Amino acid sequence: MSQTPANPTVTLTIDGHAITVPKGTTVYHAAKQLGIEVPIFCYHDRMPPLGACRMCFVKVEKMPRLQTSCTLEATEGMVVETESPDVVEARQGVLEFLLINHPLDCPICDKGGECPLQDNTFKYGPGASQYVEPKRHFMKAIPLSPVLTLDRERCIMCWRCTRFGEVIAGDHALKGHERGFATHIDIPPITMEGPSKFIGNTIEICPVGALTSSAYRFRSRPWDNLGTPSVCTHCGVGCAIRYDARGGEITRVRSRENAEVNDVWTCDVGFFGYDYVNSQDRLSRPLVRRGDTLVETSWDEALNLVATRLRDAGGDHAGAIGGERLTLEESYLLSRLYRSLGSANLDYRADSLAAPDTRDWGWGTEGTMADLDRAGAIVLIGCDLIEEYPVVWLRAKRALDRGALGFAIAPKRLEIDRYLRHNAVVRYGHEALVLLALSKLVAEARGAEAPVEAAALVDLDAAALASRAGVSIEALRAAARDLIAHPPASFHVGRLALDGPDPRAVLLAANTLRAVCGGGALSILRGRGSAAAAAVAGMVPDALPGLAPTDDAAALGRLRTAWGRDIAAKKGLDTPGMLGAAAAGELSFLLVAGADPAADYPDAEAWRLARAGVGFLVVQDVFLTETAKQADVVLPALTHAEKNGTVGSIEARVQRIGQARPGLDGARADATILQAIATRVGVPLMYGSVHEIFEEMTTVIPGLAEGLAFPLPRRTARVEREAIETILASAPASGGGATLVPVTSLFRLGEMTKRSPGLARLAGRPTATVHPLDAARWGIANGDEVEVAFDGRTARLFARVTDETREGQILVPRSLRLGGRAHDGTVRRLAPAGTWA
Amino acid sequence: MNLKKNGNGGRTVQRALIEGAAILKGMGVTFRHLFRKPVTIKYPEQRPAVAARFKGRHWLTLYPDGDERCVGCELCVIVCPSQAIYVKAAENTEEKRVSKGERYAEDFQINMLRCIFCGFCEEACPTGAIVLGRDFELADYSRQSLIYGKPMLQEPYPGASGRDPHSEV
Ligand code: SF4
Ligand code: SF4
Ligand code: SF4
Ligand code: SF4
Ligand code: FES
């Protein structure tokens, strides 16, 4: 046989067919490759075999008993039979035993119709049971969480769900309790971290109807569902999903396989967060402001008004914010409309105070998420991966499991802490100092090997920096050693740092660390939905579509050819710039498409002034958001489930969405709205279909292709000595009170998750996380209703007392909108736990 | 049969006799029936008695305590060869119990214009909820009124449809 030491293989015979497979392959997989189906329950090909259910029996020559093919490694010369009489009989026996205590629930079971137990029983079962005694009974339909329903009678104890929590997600959300006859699945009694973010996957892999979705419960049967392949557009990972719809109502979402992105998983926001599409609150008529109120109007009147005001505003006095919630075609149209009018006041970042140079610091990954599979170290800098890009965590966990090292530098202890080698819980706003200290230590240790950047670090005192940031220098030394020993490192900067006092410092310091480590990807994990790719489509003030520099003659030439008009090689205003101009009365027209700066822009006061100063505010959205409530004209738009086109992800991967239900009557796709406005302002954008728009995009944006991640420019900014001085000077001094740290929660993303009942309940009450020492000082206990006072403002929250945070640091919801400044706050107890109504 | 072409006179006479006898036999049958009771009736003044296993309009039946038998499982929907049934299920709650168990049919419609009265739905039903009754007088003036909803289909009291409310499936 072809037995080379590098690539050893074995040849075996299954049902008379010979097959050669790599050594280590199980008999089950070898049979599968031959197209021979062996029934299974407990085995799942993303998890190691367990051998719990005995469904996969096969007969192997010279082996005394039947073997479980999912656990049995194929060996040279093995002769396997999958349909011999004793195998058939054994399968019948296994099924008969499973069904002894399995209820006859198929007609009322949500799994019925797509149930492996049904299918296997039908195909391999004995046909009749010898068991006539009464079955075992448990309480039915136990709500294990706001989204998860458990039927214990139906569970066949395959352990897929519990092992998912151990092996894949790492959150141990479900566990087996008791033993023998009394064994059952339950949530562990104490879970510090709150609800699992991946429980939908256990529903999907449960081979029976024991775990079912409370959101989908009884809404439809599998044969009613009309499936449409699409892409999840909530967080920005871009998981492949399938919408199921019945009679125009989205009944559920399930994952599809995409090895490059989500493998076969989704997070719970994707899995349960679809009811917003069916919501009664959807806008279905254009609204126009008459005095203090918004009144319904006709599309014609609304569009005419918008067009008149846009034309009056002309180039430099019109601005547009949006992109997260638009398809790439729509971002492109919006950018084309504005650029044709001579304005480059375009920004996809609606919720960020800092909008540094897009080519250097644009949101998105360098390389792709799949590169994590090859990373030696994963460094999270103010990046709460599991809360913000949950499915990326699943990939990161896989990397950590195979030996990569995890590092976190953040103002809180991350939920995934136990999987990380190093977790520096820093003082808020001090990430840059830790990064510089770490860079210095790495440069020292690498000595002559260290690149030129190291020179700028020479006279830094790592120990002093560490103590200023509140982390132990010894821990940093160990981290530096590990970083050097585990190349390549992959650096991820996230919101906890980027929305902090000095995001630029963090980015520069991170790039320094990357340089002294000798390279690796530096990704900025920021922005939901299509944000990162909207920049590629053109929603940026300081670059052309495709992120070409504004003076790139070739790019300008391509645009000129495609658009048939001259495009000015100029830069426009970013979001903070536009809001500033608006406040100063210099912006007379602002279009906000699928964004909600009134609720999300971190500086509430800046937005208020901008709104007061802007001449005319137009909002295209699905719901009456905070921004829409303040608008002059509101144009009702369609959701992603109701239109065709492409969307982008955090790695700027371009993926096609599909229309899963007819558009809501009265609302229009953003593309249609933009085309109508364009026609009225005299720069008609005529396309026969969204496909045509995409085709044009591929001609003006080289490198843009469906299914692929657009190569975002590599971040080149270098850290100079002066930059380091600025960083050292700018880190906030540690004040006496407790610092408020705005944090993100996965289940509290905004208007869409709010309208999916299960998610709204998962999000729970808004909390202030307080360190036990602070809690003792202020006399508050877990669950108390508290008032957090800062800067003359107050907020009512519920206390969570854990050491997830540092002493002197209170984690508060981002919705408090602290404006990127470090605030000192105090906490006062309003009511003890349990008294809230 | 073409007699001329056959060219055999003897055979022709024989055939004419046989055929004449057959006519007489047939007339005999007719004659006998002249004195029998007619099989037709003067509908609608007179009502027919339908056969014991006749399949007429559907009923959704009840348990003796008034709970609905239907659990909204849609097995009748999927088995129906003419796609005449629409069911939308919902969950029983403490406050509102409609059927036994967890689930009931919130909406149940049968399009009587499509139904071919095959009875498959009755056969598929796991709870014996849907039965085909004896009523065949289903004509009406509009298509809409021939889509029967739950108020039309539900038997007015347990046993009204003729199905024994105590019997199992
Ligand atoms: S889990 Fe499967 S076999 Fe069991 S009741 Fe549900 S559909 Fe039937
Ligand atoms: S709940 Fe489902 S996945 Fe979990 S052990 Fe039971 S049958 Fe298996
Ligand atoms: S009797 Fe036959 S055709 Fe009529 S509803 Fe039932 S299954 Fe359908
Ligand atoms: S009538 Fe019977 S088969 Fe039809 S939905 Fe109701 S219980 Fe199911
Ligand atoms: S699938 Fe092999 S033992 Fe369960």
Side-chain angles (χ1 to χ4, degrees):
Chain A
M1 303 290 116
S2 52
Q3 283 267 11
T4 60
N7 237 347
T9 58
V10 294
T11 301
L12 71 164
T13 315
I14 304 176
D15 290 350
H17 306 278
I19 181 165
T20 305
V21 291
K23 198 164 163 27
T25 309
T26 58
V27 171
Y28 168 79
H29 276 290
K32 199 169 178 184
Q33 279 178 38
L34 274 172
I36 297 170
E37 187 196 302
V38 177
I40 52 167
F41 283 123
C42 69
Y43 179 63
H44 188 280
D45 59 4
R46 298 306 196 275
M47 299 187 266
L50 181 69
C53 74
R54 325 308 284 172
M55 189 65 218
C56 61
F57 275 143
V58 292
K59 185 185 167 83
V60 182
E61 217 178 79
K62 300 205 197 90
M63 284 191 156
R65 273 180 296 268
L66 297 179
Q67 300 291 319
T68 48
S69 62
C70 71
T71 55
L72 184 68
E73 192 182 320
T75 54
E76 188 61 38
M78 208 177 225
V79 179
V80 180
E81 272 183 81
T82 70
E83 290 295 340
S84 70
D86 43 351
V87 171
V88 169
E89 199 196 326
R91 280 181 196 151
Q92 290 183 350
V94 167
L95 282 165
E96 192 175 345
F97 266 115
L98 281 179
L99 294 178
I100 280 181
N101 276 318
H102 194 86
L104 246 182
D105 271 355
C106 303
I108 55 156
C109 173
D110 273 338
K111 198 81 174 183
E114 51 184 16
C115 172
L117 181 56
Q118 272 186 331
D119 295 348
N120 284 345
T121 304
F122 189 69
K123 218 164 157 186
Y124 306 102
S129 175
Q130 303 160 53
Y131 185 81
V132 290
E133 289 76 13
K135 292 186 182 235
R136 172 178 68 172
H137 284 297
F138 285 130
M139 208 173 94
K140 305 283 282 179
I142 307 163
L144 281 193
S145 92
V147 289
L148 183 68
T149 303
L150 169 71
D151 189 309
R152 285 196 181 131
E153 293 182 351
R154 293 181 198 154
C155 173
I156 59 168
M157 286 298 149
C158 71
W159 305 110
R160 275 186 176 187
C161 56
T162 59
R163 296 177 75 233
F164 172 83
E166 289 154 19
V167 180
I168 308 285
D171 58 9
H172 298 257
L174 295 170
K175 283 285 175 205
H177 292 234
E178 304 284 351
R179 275 163 190 276
F181 181 77
T183 322
H184 60 267
I185 301 298
D186 206 341
I187 43 173
I190 304 163
T191 39
M192 276 321 291
E193 282 99 6
S196 166
K197 299 172 174 65
F198 304 100
I199 215 70
N201 298 299
T202 65
I203 294 172
E204 213 157 295
I205 62 176
C206 177
V208 292
L211 295 174
T212 52
S213 155
S214 315
Y216 175 62
R217 198 165 159 76
F218 301 161
R219 266 168 105 156
S220 139
R221 310 246 44 191
W223 54 80
D224 294 323
N225 287 325
L226 195 67
T228 310
S230 194
V231 175
C232 176
T233 51
H234 281 288
C235 79
V237 176
C239 296
I241 57 157
R242 183 184 313 282
Y243 286 115
D244 273 338
R246 180 190 189 190
E249 179 195 298
I250 306 288
T251 52
R252 65 172 170 181
V253 164
R254 286 181 301 156
S255 69
R256 282 186 300 131
E257 182 171 354
N258 184 345
E260 298 292 306
V261 180
N262 56 319
D263 198 4
V264 292
W265 314 115
T266 61
C267 80
D268 287 353
V269 171
F271 199 88
F272 301 105
Y274 51 86
D275 259 328
Y276 74 95
V277 178
N278 308 320
S279 167
Q280 295 298 310
D281 305 347
R282 291 275 304 273
L283 292 172
S284 61
R285 296 285 303 277
L287 305 173
V288 62
R289 178 161 302 281
R290 302 244 189 283
D292 275 349
T293 52
L294 286 167
V295 295
E296 291 190 352
T297 180
S298 71
W299 270 102
D300 260 333
E301 194 191 330
L303 288 171
N304 286 337
L305 183 58
V306 171
T308 314
R309 300 301 294 253
L310 177 57
R311 211 178 315 115
D312 293 349
D316 281 335
H317 302 287
I321 298 175
E324 274 184 2
R325 305 255 71 89
L326 301 181
T327 64
L328 297 186
E329 287 86 349
E330 288 161 351
S331 286
Y332 175 77
L333 279 188
L334 183 49
S335 140
R336 179 174 167 185
L337 169 63
Y338 267 62
R339 289 174 200 271
S340 302
L341 290 173
S343 169
N345 300 334
L346 300 161
D347 205 343
Y348 64 104
R349 296 159 291 203
D351 58 354
S352 168
L353 281 175
D357 176 22
T358 325
R359 284 181 48 77
D360 241 357
W361 301 121
W363 296 349
T365 59
E366 262 182 11
T368 65
M369 285 301 163
D371 293 345
L372 279 183
D373 299 347
R374 291 169 288 280
I378 296 172
V379 186
L380 302 173
I381 302 159
C383 176
D384 202 346
L385 194 58
I386 198 170
E387 294 283 357
E388 298 222 44
Y389 301 96
V391 171
V392 178
W393 157 243
L394 300 184
R395 193 176 284 277
K397 170 150 193 311
R398 217 161 67 185
L400 300 183
D401 286 346
R402 68 148 171 73
L405 292 191
F407 298 76
I409 300 161
K412 65 178 261 201
R413 200 184 66 216
L414 305 184
E415 183 186 324
I416 54 179
D417 174 56
R418 69 181 110 164
Y419 297 99
L420 304 175
R421 174 67 69 93
H422 300 287
N423 194 347
V425 182
V426 299
R427 287 212 177 92
Y428 184 53
H430 288 61
E431 290 88 350
L433 298 190
V434 178
L435 291 170
L436 285 181
L438 204 48
S439 307
K440 160 88 176 170
L441 294 171
V442 170
E444 256 173 29
R446 294 186 73 200
E449 276 179 68
V452 283
E453 276 82 358
L457 305 164
V458 158
D459 51 354
L460 284 187
D461 178 358
L465 292 180
S467 90
R468 253 177 89 187
V471 300
S472 119
I473 182 72
E474 284 318 312
L476 284 191
R477 267 190 231 289
R481 273 195 303 275
D482 282 336
L483 256 183
I484 297 169
H486 289 81
S490 170
F491 302 89
H492 305 266
V493 187
R495 239 183 145 163
L496 285 168
L498 292 173
D499 287 358
D502 196 352
R504 206 184 175 84
V506 180
L507 292 171
L508 279 174
N511 214 8
T512 309
L513 179 60
R514 183 237 310 248
V516 297
C517 285
L522 172 55
S523 300
I524 298 184
L525 297 192
R526 181 78 166 78
R528 304 192 296 245
S530 284
V536 178
M539 285 302 295
V540 273
D542 53 2
L544 297 173
L547 291 179
T550 41
D551 51 3
D552 181 334
L556 282 170
R558 282 193 298 269
L559 291 178
R560 213 171 288 129
T561 320
W563 296 356
R565 66 169 67 234
D566 249 343
I567 305 299
K570 67 171 180 185
K571 295 195 180 189
L573 299 171
D574 55 19
T575 299
M578 279 187 257
L579 298 191
E586 285 157 18
L587 201 71
S588 41
F589 183 93
L590 182 62
L591 175 73
V592 175
D596 192 5
D600 293 338
Y601 193 69
D603 189 342
E605 183 60 13
W607 169 261
R608 200 185 58 74
L609 293 175
R611 172 60 199 115
V614 73
F616 198 68
L617 176 65
V618 181
V619 171
Q620 294 175 204
D621 214 313
V622 172
F623 296 110
L624 196 64
T625 59
E626 279 312 307
T627 317
K629 283 180 196 155
Q630 306 172 6
D632 293 301
V633 170
V634 183
L635 302 172
L638 296 181
T639 63
H640 278 136
E642 297 163 313
K643 53 192 182 188
N644 289 307
T646 54
V647 293
S649 66
I650 188 70
E651 46 181 5
R653 186 178 296 278
V654 180
Q655 304 190 90
R656 196 157 287 286
I657 56 169
Q659 182 178 5
R661 61 165 246 165
L664 180 74
D665 252 356
R668 294 186 186 176
D670 293 279
T672 317
I673 298 173
L674 291 170
Q675 281 175 306
I677 296 174
T679 308
R680 285 173 168 79
V681 294
V683 285
L685 308 174
M686 292 305 190
Y687 298 93
S689 66
V690 280
H691 282 276
E692 263 179 41
I693 309 179
F694 188 75
E695 251 153 52
E696 183 181 302
M697 289 169 69
T698 55
T699 63
V700 300
I701 306 175
L704 190 79
E706 195 182 325
L708 298 185
F710 180 83
L712 296 171
R714 209 177 152 79
R715 312 176 196 289
T716 53
R718 293 265 172 247
V719 76
E720 308 292 347
R721 189 60 224 182
E722 304 84 82
I724 292 183
E725 295 303 337
T726 334
I727 295 172
L728 295 181
S730 71
S734 27
T739 315
L740 300 189
V741 181
V743 294
T744 307
S745 147
L746 175 65
F747 296 123
R748 212 187 297 279
L749 286 181
E751 296 291 328
M752 302 201 304
T753 48
K754 199 164 86 186
R755 286 182 176 84
S756 298
L759 292 186
R761 285 177 57 207
L762 277 180
R765 305 172 295 175
T767 56
T769 306
V770 182
H771 193 271
L773 292 175
D774 290 330
R777 186 145 55 96
W778 291 318
I780 49 180
N782 208 11
D784 284 355
E785 189 177 354
V786 294
E787 183 185 75
V788 179
F790 60 98
D791 239 15
R793 287 165 63 193
T794 58
R796 287 166 82 102
L797 299 165
F798 291 89
R800 242 179 102 233
V801 179
T802 89
D803 59 358
E804 201 178 296
T805 173
R806 289 176 67 95
E807 192 188 349
Q809 246 159 241
I810 311 166
L811 311 182
V812 294
R814 182 166 309 285
S815 54
L816 292 193
R817 304 168 77 201
L818 304 175
R821 290 180 294 277
H823 294 267
D824 267 358
T826 53
V827 182
R828 188 166 67 85
R829 176 172 174 175
L830 290 180
T835 53
W836 64 285
Chain B
M1 188 178 295
N2 192 333
L3 298 178
K4 284 230 176 81
K5 205 172 165 193
N6 192 306
N8 190 329
R11 284 272 175 93
T12 314
V13 174
Q14 195 186 354
R15 175 123 321 230
L17 284 176
I18 292 170
E19 281 173 6
I23 290 173
L24 284 179
K25 197 174 162 197
M27 295 295 282
V29 172
T30 314
F31 190 72
R32 273 207 310 284
H33 276 270
L34 266 181
F35 304 100
R36 288 212 178 149
K37 231 178 120 220
V39 292
T40 52
I41 56 167
K42 288 190 174 144
Y43 180 80
E45 287 82 20
Q46 289 174 4
R47 326 282 309 170
V50 297
R53 295 165 74 180
F54 179 83
K55 297 190 184 94
R57 67 99 96 195
H58 314 66
W59 291 107
L60 286 175
T61 60
L62 304 171
Y63 285 108
D65 60 2
D67 277 358
E68 291 177 11
R69 275 180 179 264
C70 175
V71 293
C73 71
E74 295 193 34
L75 294 185
C76 51
V77 176
I78 193 66
V79 80
C80 175
S82 43
Q83 299 181 11
I85 313 182
Y86 172 84
V87 175
K88 187 154 181 20
E91 187 164 7
N92 285 311
T93 56
E94 292 290 327
E95 304 80 52
K96 186 173 178 231
R97 171 153 296 282
V98 178
S99 72
K100 314 251 177 248
E102 295 164 50
R103 137 180 201 156
Y104 72 98
E106 189 178 39
D107 191 2
F108 199 116
Q109 302 172 13
I110 303 183
N111 187 339
M112 289 305 192
L113 290 165
R114 286 187 145 208
C115 175
I116 55 168
F117 300 96
C118 64
F120 282 7
C121 47
E122 181 170 347
E123 259 180 68
C125 182
T127 60
I130 193 166
V131 294
L132 271 70
R134 328 194 58 147
D135 187 2
F136 55 85
E137 293 168 299
L138 305 174
D140 208 338
Y141 294 98
S142 77
R143 289 171 184 276
Q144 196 52 46
S145 63
L146 281 157
I147 298 173
Y148 284 10
K150 244 176 131 177
M152 281 295 280
L153 291 168
Q154 186 96 261
E155 59 177 357
Y157 54 89
S161 64
R163 182 205 205 286
D164 175 7
H166 294 278
S167 80
E168 275 295 307
V169 174

